[in-house]
């Protein structure tokens, strides 16, 4: 994917009396081919022969007997894909504290408490039994763990060894600053919006330390997020070329605060009748770049927001989310090799590409109160 990294600079200046003045040499824009390939995801689910037999009496019965499984498979892989598009390459949460019930028993577990800023209800809702890895920086701690009980309001969840007696919980007990990734995702999943905006080194074969237009903007604010702070953050991207519609993706709690902030600016008079209506389904306003739309998203972490121009973002890859097996698209149900049942697979090959990181902003540091 070709991208522009510098402007043209072969410009000559002349006074009105200079006549046939000399032209400057060509100083062409720098272009480079960003090299990006899709990242693969494949979800496996099983259907026993007896369940298939009971559902095979009629087409209607088969649809009814399998629709919950198929619908849940699509929802499950779509959620993982959505998480990767935003947080691929940076992890799904950061652990503030972790306390173990024991250290060596097969039933021992660690209760991990995540930081308020890195917690997203949408990520952890329904995540029981998911396999995860724990990292300190680039170092993996232990092997695979499974998510047990989750307390969404307290921002806590229990971690147990994925396989009994394979890895005890002592290695992650009483530790802080750990980052949680889905099992096997570290270093292999796509780079999401967060990783692209905050990149300072080489990404997609282009070095952000060499080309300033390949580096995004990071802004830290304090207190509650307000319209003024959003506009101040947008200005960072405007100064580097953002002059088109932008979307601000943020946590629903932060969006609610901005909703109240905007509603407080509204003046009511007799034209509104006897009943006052307040609040908004969406928030759009005009900033330095033009239109800015605030979009709530339950996968965005509580203390973060992302501003980006949708026209500069693309999904690339070989295959959308599909039950079709590449090369064998007519075959969806596969026989299990060693069990009496069928296997279904959902596969996708794709990645996020942002052609102008300099026009994007990550906001962090605020609290939703």
């Amino acid at each position: 994917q070709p991208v522009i990294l510098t402007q043209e600079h072969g410009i000559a200046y002349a006074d009105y009396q200079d006549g046939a003045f000399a032209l400057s040499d060509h100083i062409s824009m720098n272009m480079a081919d960003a090299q990006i390939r899709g990242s693969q995801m494949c979800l496996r689910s099983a259907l026993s022969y007896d369940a298939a037999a009971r559902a095979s009496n009629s087409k209607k019965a088969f649809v009814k007997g399998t629709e919950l499984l198929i619908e849940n498979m699509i929802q499950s892989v779509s959620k993982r894909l959505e998480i990767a598009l935003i947080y691929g390459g940076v992890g799904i949460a950061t652990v503030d504290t972790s306390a173990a019930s024991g250290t060596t028993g097969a039933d021992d577990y660690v209760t991990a408490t995540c930081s308020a800023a890195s917690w997203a209800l949408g990520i952890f809702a329904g995540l029981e039994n998911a396999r995860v890895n724990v990292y300190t920086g680039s170092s993996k701690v232990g092997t695979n763990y499974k998510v047990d009980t989750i307390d969404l309001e307290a921002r806590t969840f229990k971690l147990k060894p994925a396989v009994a007696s394979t890895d005890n919980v002592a290695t992650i007990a009483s530790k802080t600053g750990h980052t949680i990734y889905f099992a096997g995702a570290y270093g292999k999943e796509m780079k999401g919006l967060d990783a692209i905006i905050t990149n300072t080194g080489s990404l997609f074969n282009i070095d952000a330390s060499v080309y300033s237009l390949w580096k995004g903007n990071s802004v830290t604010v304090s207190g509650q997020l307000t319209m003024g702070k959003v506009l101040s953050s947008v200005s960072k991207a405007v100064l580097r070329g953002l002059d088109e519609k932008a979307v601000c993706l943020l946590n629903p709690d932060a969006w609610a605060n901005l909703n109240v902030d905007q509603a407080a600016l509204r003046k009511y008079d007799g034209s509104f009748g006897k009943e006052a209506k307040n609040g908004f389904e969406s928030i759009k306003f005009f900033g330095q770049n033009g239109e800015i739309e605030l979009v709530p998203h339950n996968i965005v972490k509580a203390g973060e927001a992302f501003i980006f121009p949708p026209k500069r973002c693309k999904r690339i890859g070989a295959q959308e989310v599909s039950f079709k097996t590449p090369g064998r698209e007519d075959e969806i149900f596969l026989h299990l090799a060693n069990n009496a049942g069928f296997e279904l697979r959902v596969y996708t090959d794709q990645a996020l590409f942002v052609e102008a990181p300099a026009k994007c902003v990550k906001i962090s540091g605020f609290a939703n109160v």
Side-chain angles (χ1 to χ4, degrees), residues 3 8 16 35 38 70 99 108 128 227 233-234 258 266 345:
V3 294
E8 294 277 347
Y16 75 98
Q35 299 176 8
I70 291 175
D108 287 331
E128 290 88 351
M227 289 289 189
S233 300
V234 168
L258 287 175
R266 189 172 184 177
R345 297 178 184 177

Side-chain angles (χ1 to χ4, degrees), residues 120-134:
L121 284 172
I123 293 178
F124 280 87
L127 212 62
E128 290 88 351
N129 294 322
R131 271 45 177 176
V132 297
N133 295 141
V134 180

Side-chain angles (χ1 to χ4, degrees), residues 96-294:
D96 257 1
T97 61
S98 56
S101 64
T103 56
T104 58
D107 294 326
D108 287 331
Y109 58 86
V110 161
T111 299
T113 302
C114 289
S115 63
S118 74
W119 182 257
L121 284 172
I123 293 178
F124 280 87
L127 212 62
E128 290 88 351
N129 294 322
R131 271 45 177 176
V132 297
N133 295 141
V134 180
Y135 277 82
T136 297
S138 59
S139 300
K140 185 178 178 181
V141 183
T143 54
N144 290 352
Y145 299 92
K146 67 177 179 180
V147 178
D148 200 59
T149 309
I150 302 172
D151 188 329
L152 294 174
E153 298 303 321
R155 307 190 311 277
T156 64
F157 57 92
K158 294 178 181 178
L159 289 178
K160 291 184 176 180
V163 179
S165 302
T166 297
D167 190 28
N168 63 52
V169 297
T171 53
I172 58 173
S174 302
K175 301 291 179 64
T176 61
H178 287 334
T179 303
I180 308 297
Y181 291 83
F182 288 118
Y186 183 87
K188 295 186 178 180
E189 64 182 341
M190 72 176 75
K191 298 296 184 183
L193 193 62
D194 190 333
I196 292 172
I197 296 176
T198 59
N199 168 64
T200 57
S202 181
L203 179 67
F204 307 145
N205 202 44
I206 301 175
D207 195 340
S209 66
V210 176
Y211 298 105
S212 60
L213 291 182
W214 200 241
K215 183 178 180 181
N217 305 279
S218 296
V219 178
T220 302
V221 300
S222 59
Q224 185 174 300
L225 190 64
T226 63
M227 289 289 189
K229 292 173 183 176
V230 171
L231 288 172
S232 178
S233 300
V234 168
S235 68
K236 302 293 184 182
V238 172
L239 290 170
R240 301 177 67 194
L242 178 63
D243 60 354
E244 59 192 278
K245 176 184 175 179
V247 165
C248 179
L249 207 62
L250 70 170
N251 185 272
D253 287 340
W255 186 89
N257 288 336
L258 287 175
N259 192 335
V260 173
D261 182 31
Q262 181 68 11
L265 300 176
R266 189 172 184 177
K267 182 178 180 181
Y268 293 90
D269 57 25
S271 64
F272 285 88
K274 296 181 179 180
E275 182 181 359
K277 295 182 179 180
N278 209 345
F280 307 90
E281 292 182 358
S282 65
I283 303 176
K284 295 181 181 179
F285 59 97
F286 284 87
Q288 306 93 314
N289 61 296
E291 183 180 312
I292 304 172
E293 181 179 5
L294 305 182

Side-chain angles (χ1 to χ4, degrees), residues 2-6 29-33:
V3 294
I4 297 173
L5 298 173
T6 66
M29 65 177 178
N30 280 345
M31 294 185 64
D33 285 331

